[in-house]
Amino acid sequence: MKVTNLQQNNYFTGIHIAKSVNCVKNMETSIDLYEITAKDKAFLKKLEETVKMRELMPADKGISHEGFCRWQAMLEVAIAKAGLGDRKCVIAVKDNKPCGIITYKPDKKTFNLDCICTWPVEAGKKVALAGQTLFKQMFSDFLKQKADFIELCAILNGPFPVVPKYMRLGFRQTGGKNFLIEMRTNNQQVKNTMKHLDDIIITHPMENSEDINLLETLDV
């Protein structure tokens, strides 16, 4: 089903692609995944307007002003790239509230990760494994495509140190400059990483999912 906004001539279309149950430290967290379509401009604009990192993660958590700016910019990059027709964008949702976004460019040989960004649904409370759940979805698409590599650029002056996290997911440094670290992983390493992710994130793909109005469905 597609719902049209006649004033803006945009579609509100999102597809509920999976439900996941994540377990860490004997605590379970349920996260829903929605694929964003290229014409879902109204929802993406609303998401950019309403998600404010500084409000969701108070200053007393030790994040600098520059860190907050970088964090907000990561969200903006993911949203901007999501509007391109050759990208795939997936959002993570907990308790009906968006808590993460990943945007990447699939290809027969190499996937390119534009940006991944997660945030709390309540002030100061990050959603456990939200980022890894989004990575797992990208890894699943990558393995289905039988591509060779996934490449990304990690920023060094963001709110959190991300290079160690990417290394735990199987990425290795290949170059970089000016606060950017180029990283890559390959098909075999992704298969190895997925074995670990399968132990902590149980994903149930949705069958026969229809397009839905995300602005009416989710709390944004």
Side-chain angles (χ1 to χ4, degrees):
M1 178 179 67
K2 290 185 176 180
V3 181
T4 305
N5 178 340
L6 296 178
Q7 293 182 340
Q8 297 185 7
N9 196 30
N10 294 326
Y11 292 112
F12 302 147
T13 56
I15 304 172
H16 194 182
I17 57 174
K19 286 180 173 288
S20 71
V21 179
N22 310 338
C23 186
V24 59
K25 296 181 180 179
N26 296 321
M27 295 183 62
E28 290 189 352
T29 301
S30 296
I31 295 178
D32 291 286
L33 297 178
Y34 292 82
E35 181 177 347
I36 303 300
T37 69
K39 292 186 177 181
D40 200 7
K41 296 178 182 178
F43 172 77
L44 293 174
K45 181 179 179 181
K46 183 69 172 180
L47 190 68
E48 185 174 357
E49 291 173 347
T50 56
V51 175
K52 301 300 179 185
M53 304 306 180
R54 192 179 298 275
E55 297 173 5
L56 291 169
M57 188 66 77
D60 62 2
K61 296 297 182 179
I63 301 175
S64 66
H65 172 74
E66 182 184 28
F68 277 117
C69 292
R70 291 287 182 183
W71 197 0
Q72 199 72 43
M74 289 162 59
L75 173 62
E76 294 168 1
V77 168
I79 289 174
K81 293 291 187 179
L84 302 178
D86 59 352
R87 259 58 170 191
K88 182 166 183 178
C89 176
V90 177
I91 61 167
V93 175
K94 180 181 182 295
D95 298 333
N96 228 41
K97 297 179 181 179
C99 62
I101 183 171
I102 187 170
T103 306
Y104 52 95
K105 182 179 179 181
D107 189 76
K108 292 182 179 179
K109 179 173 177 141
T110 302
F111 275 38
N112 285 280
L113 173 61
D114 292 306
C115 194
I116 180 170
C117 180
T118 62
W119 55 88
V121 293
E122 297 179 30
K125 296 181 180 179
K126 296 197 71 178
V127 179
L129 299 180
Q132 292 187 55
T133 301
L134 289 169
F135 261 107
K136 184 180 179 184
Q137 182 61 41
M138 181 180 67
F139 288 160
S140 178
D141 290 345
F142 171 79
L143 293 176
K144 288 178 183 177
Q145 184 70 39
K146 298 181 180 179
D148 297 324
F149 303 103
I150 302 177
E151 296 179 344
L152 61 83
C153 280
I155 59 173
L156 295 180
N157 55 349
F160 311 103
V162 295
V163 171
K165 292 182 179 181
Y166 294 156
M167 292 184 69
R168 287 194 291 271
L169 289 170
F171 289 86
R172 294 295 178 264
Q173 183 175 343
T174 58
K177 60 181 179 179
N178 298 332
F179 298 105
L180 291 176
I181 299 294
E182 297 172 1
M183 305 186 76
R184 169 187 274 195
T185 189
N186 59 38
N187 187 283
Q188 185 57 53
Q189 184 56 56
V190 170
K191 290 178 180 178
N192 294 337
T193 301
M194 283 290 277
K195 293 177 183 178
H196 167 68
L197 293 178
D198 284 340
D199 288 337
I200 59 175
I201 302 172
I202 301 174
T203 303
H204 303 283
M206 303 295 291
E207 296 182 1
N208 302 320
S209 294
E210 294 183 343
D211 293 352
I212 60 176
N213 186 335
L214 292 179
L215 283 175
E216 292 184 355
T217 304
L218 304 181
D219 296 333
V220 291

